[in-house]
Amino acid sequence: MPNRTQAPDLLADPLAEANQPSSLLARFGPDKALQLDSGAVLERWQIAYQTYGSLNESRSNAVLVCHALTGDQYVASRNPVTGKGGWWTAMIGPGKPVDTDRFFVICANVLGGCMGTTGPASTNPETGKPWGLAFPMVTIRDMVRAQAHLVDSLGIDSLFCVAGGSMGGMQVLQWAASYPTRVFSALPLATAAKHSAQNIAFHEVGRQAVMADPDWRQGRYLDEGTRPAKGLSVARMGAHITYLSEPALHRKFGRKLQERSAPTFTFDADFQVESYLRYQGLSFVERFDANSYLYVTRAMDYFDLGADHDGVLAKAFAGTRTRFCVASFTSDWLFPTSDSRAIVHALNAAGASVSFVELESDKGHDAFLLEEPNLFATTRGFIGAAARARGI
């Protein structure tokens, strides 16, 4: 197995991407000020995005893809920082379930992110310095509000489909609740209508790892020319374990040693799984802003769609005409099938059109990102039927 302790060389400068992304960019001024759930208002803000395919004449074929925690707008194209291909090319492209020969696909970096949408690494227009912890706290609903402004700016009244997994799935549910007449179909995958206590706990461990790094400098590391690389790397290592399953880890690594025939009796990366996690941590800190990690994990923690509707999740979808397809995976212990069933039960109670499938997979939470033929068949069937009903 190749040595994974060296992080890959980067291409574009991640710090530059925070303000001047390589992707498309929509800027908004005071006439489109963004009101946040915290009570704060962003007078000037921007959202970075990518598009694929073409918008049809009736503007009825737009698909909004929402990314997960550490994703970005490069859903089906090369990331300018890492040089790697899009994070969902298994699902999106010509002839794929989300067929870019048929649909106009939009994917935006979330509010609070670090790839061009306004966030803590962006320049505060009032100070000329990075926002840092002066950036207001954001929620999943704030992210969706920002996306709605983007969709408006593109002249699209109604989205054919909103799709995403994990945190992206939370955004899908929020879209359906906040803008029911604007979402024809919704595809929330491996997600939940509220973040569990266990998941909040995992996030808190990661945040504490970042904040315990002396180079974090109370969030002022960009001003002071440092970077909490060790803390963020540990946070990523811990989180990455939750995206996998024990069978997947065993199949991939087992107890195999890393480029040695016997233990070293040191704290070096004796095992392949250790080397893999160290590589994941190192490569992550090169492309992701530490403060963004704090903000976006916190947004997931705050998400509780039912609590926003008198504690009754079904009320979030009352009267909806959106078509839903909800999918979970048998080995996903981060967002288990019970979370998806709770969504389905609420949709049923609201009289919504919903289909549900629990997919057999031993790949854990990350299964929605990987080559899963049953997922492709499910989504292709759902999207195809919805497109016929939409007349596209």
Side-chain angles (χ1 to χ4, degrees):
M1 185 174 180
N3 191 313
R4 290 184 172 273
T5 56
Q6 284 294 115
D9 292 333
L10 299 182
L11 303 174
D13 179 4
L15 294 180
E17 291 292 315
N19 287 301
Q20 296 290 338
S22 301
S23 65
L24 299 171
L25 183 65
R27 289 190 172 96
F28 299 92
D31 61 321
K32 298 291 183 182
L34 193 61
Q35 177 73 54
L36 305 181
D37 282 346
S38 66
V41 178
L42 292 176
E43 294 283 347
R44 298 185 183 277
W45 59 283
Q46 64 185 40
I47 185 166
Y49 67 103
Q50 283 286 75
T51 66
Y52 310 86
S54 300
L55 190 62
N56 63 13
E57 188 174 350
S58 61
R59 298 179 177 268
S60 61
N61 69 333
V63 175
L64 178 67
V65 175
C66 304
H67 71 72
L69 173 63
T70 60
D72 50 50
Q73 63 269 42
Y74 301 100
V75 62
S77 55
R78 177 178 172 274
N79 184 299
V81 173
T82 65
K84 295 180 179 179
W87 53 266
W88 219 8
T89 52
M91 181 73 73
I92 298 169
K96 295 182 179 179
V98 182
D99 189 347
T100 50
D101 288 336
R102 187 179 188 185
F103 304 112
F104 178 62
V105 177
I106 310 160
C107 186
N109 188 216
V110 296
L111 188 70
C114 54
M115 285 295 284
T117 297
T118 300
S122 306
T123 299
N124 182 341
E126 294 186 4
T127 65
K129 296 181 179 181
W131 275 96
L133 296 194
F135 190 70
M137 205 66 72
V138 298
T139 65
I140 298 295
R141 184 160 50 191
D142 293 331
M143 296 174 183
V144 168
R145 285 195 188 104
Q147 292 163 4
H149 278 290
L150 171 62
V151 171
D152 288 341
S153 74
L154 296 174
I156 299 169
D157 294 327
S158 172
L159 292 162
F160 163 63
C161 185
V162 183
S166 193
M167 188 185 83
M170 292 178 171
Q171 295 165 65
V172 173
L173 295 173
Q174 187 67 66
W175 258 99
S178 294
Y179 306 101
T181 62
R182 302 191 68 179
V183 181
F184 185 79
S185 63
L187 189 60
L189 308 173
T191 194
K194 62 181 177 183
H195 220 207
S196 69
Q198 174 179 261
N199 288 348
I200 295 170
F202 283 131
H203 278 172
E204 176 61 4
V205 170
R207 287 190 294 264
Q208 288 299 320
V210 171
M211 293 187 286
D213 189 321
D215 284 333
W216 184 60
R217 307 289 176 90
Q218 299 300 307
R220 298 188 299 271
Y221 53 89
L222 292 177
D223 284 337
E224 299 187 16
T226 63
R227 185 177 62 176
K230 293 180 179 178
L232 184 58
S233 178
V234 170
R236 175 62 170 179
M237 290 168 68
H240 196 74
I241 295 169
T242 70
Y243 306 150
L244 307 174
S245 67
E246 196 282 330
L249 283 170
H250 180 75
R251 182 182 66 251
K252 192 169 186 177
F253 304 110
R255 290 182 50 83
K256 290 177 283 192
L257 297 176
Q258 172 68 23
E259 296 183 339
R260 62 204 64 184
S261 59
T264 62
F265 295 99
T266 69
F267 292 110
D268 193 11
D270 277 359
F271 295 96
Q272 286 184 3
V273 68
E274 293 175 306
S275 180
Y276 171 76
L277 288 174
R278 292 185 187 189
Y279 169 81
Q280 289 293 329
L282 284 170
S283 59
F284 181 67
V285 301
E286 296 296 333
R287 70 173 178 87
F288 208 87
D289 176 64
N291 282 340
S292 276
Y293 191 82
L294 304 183
Y295 276 80
V296 180
T297 56
R298 201 55 165 163
M300 290 185 72
D301 292 349
Y302 284 145
F303 187 65
D304 186 346
L305 193 55
D308 294 337
H309 294 83
D310 303 321
V312 181
L313 183 57
K315 288 185 177 182
F317 308 113
T320 185
R321 300 186 68 178
T322 301
R323 295 162 171 254
F324 291 84
C325 178
V326 181
S328 66
F329 297 90
T330 54
S331 59
D332 184 354
W333 56 276
L334 193 64
F335 288 92
T337 293
S338 57
D339 288 342
S340 290
R341 290 192 187 280
I343 297 167
V344 173
H345 291 158
L347 289 167
N348 284 332
S353 171
V354 56
S355 57
F356 168 66
V357 61
E358 181 184 32
L359 299 166
E360 187 74 31
S361 172
D362 71 350
K363 296 174 183 175
H365 181 60
D366 267 358
F368 79 93
L369 295 170
L370 305 175
E371 293 285 344
E372 285 287 353
N374 288 335
L375 174 63
F376 301 158
T378 296
T379 54
R380 190 185 298 276
F382 172 72
I383 291 171
R388 289 190 294 274
R390 178 83 155 180
I392 56 176

